Amino acid sequence: MCALAGVMLCLPLVSMSASPALAPARGDQQAKARLPITAAKKNSAFRGVMTLAIDLTDTRRRIVTIQQRIPVQRAGEMTLLYPQWETGSHAPSISAHRLAGLVIQADGKMLPWRRDPARVHAFRIVVPAGAQALDLSFQYLAPLSRDPSATIVDGFVGVYWNRMLVYPSGWKASDLTVQATIKLPAGMVPATALSGAADGDRIRFEPVSLDRLIDSPVFSSRHVVTREIAGGARPVRANWLAADAEVVKNVDRFDTRMQAVQRETEAIFGVPPFKHYDYLIALDDRLPGPGGIEHADSGEVVLPANLFSEPAESASVIDVIPHELIHAWNGLWRVPADMAVSTPNEPFTGTLLWVYEGQTEFWSRVVAARSGLRTVEQTLDAIALDAAIVQHRPGRQWKSLADSANDPLIQDGTVYWRDWQRREDYYIEGVLFWLDIDARLRQCSHGARGLDDFATRFFSAADQKPGERRRPYSEADVAATLDRVCPGPWAGTLRRKLDAHDDDGVLDGLAAHGWRLMFRDTPTEYFRLYEASEGVLDLTWSVGMTVTKDGRVKAATWNGPAFRAGIVPGTRLKTVNDEPYSAERLTTAIAGAAKQGDLRLGIQVDGKQETVTVGASQGLRYPALERIEGTQDSLSTLLAPRRPVAQGGKPPAGR
């Protein structure tokens, strides 16, 4: 998932050349300045190693102080780039407004710089003859703790290199080497996939390529517990971080499930593409999340601080753990061709996010069940919720699933009408999309093969070449691999599903697996846990709205009963049938309205008080699954472990 609801990256990278001169661009000069920046010449290897020193000790003000040295390659015009695009967020999500105080010197003399007005992440300078290195100093102004995207809070610091450096245009990020050091606040312990060692009051990391550095964040907290999940040739570690020691006191109780996640993921995807892998799992309710961000050798995960004391409360979000691990294969190793750029400033598109994120979301549901992160019953209830949401998307009338893949590039604010706008539906609809493909493969092969077989063929790194960190693919490659699993008209099938504008077929895979969506007047236990994690009373399928604990409407279903009554997001519920509002009174009234048909709600909207009538003839409705009599239950087969550990046994140490 990329899932973070926050900062969700393998920074694939492209080359850029020297910039226009610093003189104000006018006429022909201005037109020239807007031309695409060209790649560096072949054989022009970058000489030397960039150094980067980051001081993260000013946590009260969240000011990160940065010193950087860049070896000079030649005198004359030069462009320095501040990263802008992130694979993990699938968008140009890094804003240059957090870079401040930029000073550039050569041999102790300050150099003037000019920002490129057509590319505001580009800084143009003229390097004087004889200069050996550029010395830069600047600050990264991290979001304050009250900001929902804050990654520096008391007792926790997240180091995101792509926000704390610049680099010279003209080379691929894989061609630039960086030796980085960080200074952490006293008492902080780091966790990262990078190799490094203490050097006085700093941590000095081994030199790595810029793309590798950018793809290897550092999490640090007061308390870090590291557990070995898998040994052998490709070891896997889980680093659990918390500001409070009590939070990670019983971390060892999670070892068995983490080991099962690793076994089951490798059973699906085959040989890992990494030499080693580090989970960076922060248990902290102040951070953006729950959610995660993917990397080639590590995965960021943010989960509730009570994960070990109240594990059931994380049931609806726990599959973020396999989600980020799966991305090591799907998204970082096998990368969509249109995302396979070579610098963090080259634009890309996300036309294959229905594979990158959609299939990953599907497999995260499956692995959560196979590994025991969730019970099979919880997983069925999770799929019921997925199915209800997907079936209830009126926005499909105007916006296809394929078009939803463009959403990360549509820079907007809050999405108020999610079911009509279809924001990034490749995640949740991807679960049902690939469930259907799995069912079609099983039917085609008379039950002999399924999506597991596709995943192993498509994502395994068994034939990975030395030094090969990623392998691009196209939609045609997906169809061709499906055809090798079981011959069929896969190219046409995929396009029809991606371009559809109606609900026909969206739940076909569920039915083909022997199950159907239905609605009950009481919620499943999983649904209640989901409501709690979202902080809402979810009445989407009853009267078309979700309501927060304080009676504020968080979402209203497009053209649903609440919508038609004039209720919009932000509306405050004041009364229910002329009695003071409470969640219990609202649900009781909706249940009673199944006979009467309507309920009266006193509301406050735009500062005005009024009373509206909401149609509630359907009563309370909550999604669930039920078996289709006379059909084979292949869904339970899909969710069954592939590599169970014998009772009393231990998982294999190697591969």
Side-chain angles (χ1 to χ4, degrees):
M1 180 169 120
C2 216
L4 175 79
V7 268
M8 305 156 170
L9 70 205
C10 154
L11 282 191
L13 305 165
V14 90
S15 31
M16 301 191 165
S17 72
S19 68
L22 293 184
R26 296 186 181 181
D28 293 340
Q29 283 185 316
Q30 188 172 29
K32 181 179 179 181
R34 290 176 178 171
L35 291 175
I37 300 178
T38 57
K41 295 180 180 179
K42 293 182 180 179
N43 303 321
S44 58
F46 188 85
R47 301 183 307 276
V49 175
M50 293 191 294
T51 61
L52 179 68
I54 297 177
D55 187 327
L56 299 128
T57 56
D58 190 354
T59 56
R60 177 182 291 274
R61 287 180 288 258
R62 277 69 171 173
I63 297 173
V64 180
T65 302
I66 300 154
Q67 304 288 331
Q68 187 172 357
R69 170 164 283 194
I70 301 175
V72 168
Q73 305 300 297
R74 63 179 180 271
E77 298 172 1
M78 179 181 183
T79 298
L80 297 174
L81 299 171
Y82 183 62
Q84 183 176 14
W85 289 72
E86 294 182 288
T87 299
S89 62
H90 322 312
S93 49
I94 302 175
S95 174
H97 84 282
R98 295 199 181 278
L99 182 152
L102 178 62
V103 174
I104 304 174
Q105 293 182 321
D107 298 329
K109 296 181 180 179
M110 190 174 299
L111 300 182
W113 57 262
R114 187 184 302 279
R115 194 189 301 265
D116 187 325
R119 290 175 297 271
V120 295
H121 285 239
F123 299 88
R124 300 183 292 172
I125 63 172
V126 174
V127 179
Q132 298 299 305
L134 301 178
D135 290 300
L136 292 78
S137 64
F138 54 97
Q139 300 86 42
Y140 171 69
L141 307 180
L144 297 177
S145 58
R146 62 179 178 272
D147 189 303
S149 64
T151 53
I152 298 178
V153 296
D154 180 44
F156 180 89
V157 172
V159 180
Y160 296 93
W161 306 101
N162 56 349
R163 289 157 170 77
M164 301 176 185
L165 57 77
V166 297
Y167 66 97
S169 168
W171 289 268
K172 297 178 181 179
S174 58
D175 294 336
L176 300 170
T177 302
V178 186
Q179 194 280 304
T181 63
I182 60 172
K183 184 178 181 180
L184 293 170
M188 301 289 280
V189 181
T192 180
L194 296 171
S195 297
D199 183 5
D201 61 354
R202 293 179 176 270
I203 299 167
R204 182 177 298 275
F205 296 101
E206 294 181 3
V208 293
S209 62
L210 177 61
D211 61 337
R212 173 76 191 286
L213 181 72
I214 284 176
D215 193 40
S216 304
V218 180
F219 272 18
S220 62
S221 197
R222 293 196 187 101
H223 303 279
V224 178
V225 178
T226 300
R227 307 289 297 177
E228 182 178 303
I229 302 305
R234 294 179 174 85
V236 177
R237 299 181 301 183
N239 302 282
W240 301 88
L241 299 94
D244 184 347
E246 284 294 309
V247 171
V248 289
K249 184 172 63 174
N250 298 315
V251 65
D252 58 311
R253 297 178 184 177
F254 227 71
D255 286 356
T256 300
R257 277 172 281 186
M258 295 296 290
Q259 291 162 356
V261 167
Q262 193 66 32
R263 289 195 310 275
E264 295 297 340
T265 303
E266 291 189 25
I268 296 167
F269 296 96
V271 176
F274 47 77
K275 293 182 179 179
H276 60 84
Y277 189 88
D278 278 83
Y279 287 100
L280 310 176
I281 308 176
L283 304 181
D284 198 316
D285 298 326
R286 300 167 300 168
L287 298 175
I293 307 176
E294 66 271 17
H295 303 280
D297 303 317
S298 60
E300 302 174 41
V301 174
V302 176
L303 287 169
N306 66 354
L307 175 66
F308 300 128
S309 60
E310 299 291 341
E313 293 185 13
S314 295
S316 67
V317 296
I318 198 66
D319 59 355
V320 68
I321 291 177
H323 185 106
E324 303 312 333
L325 174 64
I326 290 165
H327 272 316
W329 284 265
N330 182 6
L332 282 304
W333 158 237
R334 295 307 310 274
V335 57
D338 60 340
M339 299 180 76
V341 294
S342 53
T343 76
N345 290 77
E346 181 184 6
F348 56 77
T349 56
T351 60
L352 288 161
L353 285 172
W354 51 277
V355 183
Y356 182 127
E357 292 292 4
Q359 193 174 140
T360 297
E361 190 77 345
F362 165 83
W363 283 121
S364 71
R365 302 285 192 274
V366 174
V367 172
R370 291 182 183 180
S371 66
L373 281 179
R374 283 187 187 136
T375 65
V376 171
E377 181 181 6
Q378 288 174 327
T379 302
L380 292 173
D381 292 340
I383 294 173
L385 180 57
D386 294 334
I389 293 172
V390 168
Q391 187 189 50
H392 202 66
R393 278 291 196 250
R396 192 177 289 107
Q397 299 169 23
W398 73 275
K399 182 175 180 176
S400 66
L401 179 61
D403 187 65
S404 179
N406 296 311
D407 287 346
L409 302 182
I410 302 173
Q411 300 294 300
D412 59 6
T414 303
V415 177
Y416 291 107
W417 309 104
R418 179 70 180 267
D419 57 339
W420 184 243
Q421 292 170 276
R422 274 173 67 73
R423 180 72 177 169
E424 298 180 355
D425 274 2
Y426 46 78
Y427 280 101
I428 197 162
E429 191 165 328
V431 176
L432 281 300
F433 183 104
W434 291 105
L435 188 66
D436 183 35
I437 299 301
D438 177 76
R440 289 171 187 258
L441 287 171
R442 291 172 187 271
Q443 183 180 28
C444 171
S445 65
H446 305 288
R449 292 179 292 280
L451 202 60
D452 284 79
D453 301 274
F454 166 87
T456 304
R457 289 171 183 257
F458 198 77
F459 295 110
S460 174
D463 63 344
Q464 184 180 24
K465 298 177 179 63
E468 185 184 21
R469 287 183 60 84
R470 63 184 182 181
R471 185 173 295 173
Y473 68 86
S474 65
E475 183 175 320
D477 294 327
V478 176
T481 304
L482 288 169
D483 193 67
R484 285 194 290 272
V485 175
C486 192
W490 293 107
T493 298
L494 294 175
R495 285 318 315 171
R496 281 193 298 274
K497 292 176 68 66
L498 290 166
D499 295 334
H501 284 283
D502 54 45
D503 292 339
D504 293 346
V506 293
L507 301 188
D508 281 359
L510 191 59
H513 277 288
W515 294 79
R516 63 173 159 242
L517 174 66
M518 50 91 69
F519 292 90
R520 298 173 177 165
D521 59 5
T522 56
T524 63
E525 178 186 359
Y526 175 86
F527 191 88
R528 283 298 188 216
L529 293 171
Y530 162 77
E531 284 185 310
S533 70
E534 293 291 309
V536 297
L537 177 67
D538 194 336
L539 301 168
T540 298
W541 299 276
S542 303
V543 293
M545 64 180 177
T546 64
V547 187
T548 62
K549 293 178 181 179
D550 60 356
R552 181 179 56 83
V553 174
K554 184 176 181 180
T557 301
W558 187 267
N559 206 30
F563 178 100
R564 292 193 294 271
I567 293 176
V568 299
T571 297
R572 186 79 63 175
L573 304 185
K574 307 297 288 186
T575 63
V576 179
N577 289 338
D578 303 321
E579 297 290 333
Y581 169 80
S582 71
E584 182 180 4
R585 185 166 283 135
L586 178 58
T587 53
T588 300
I590 293 172
K595 296 180 181 179
Q596 302 170 359
D598 295 325
L599 71 152
R600 294 187 311 282
L601 295 179
I603 64 173
Q604 180 178 335
V605 58
D606 292 336
K608 298 178 181 178
Q609 303 272 359
E610 58 182 278
T611 299
V612 297
T613 300
V614 179
S617 59
Q618 295 187 97
L620 292 171
R621 300 175 78 239
Y622 301 98
L625 295 185
E626 67 177 1
R627 285 279 290 116
I628 301 174
E629 293 184 10
T631 62
Q632 182 179 357
D633 177 12
S634 55
L635 182 54
S636 295
T637 302
L638 175 66
L639 300 179
R642 288 276 303 277
R643 289 185 180 174
V645 178
Q647 188 172 2
K650 294 183 179 180
R655 307 289 196 282

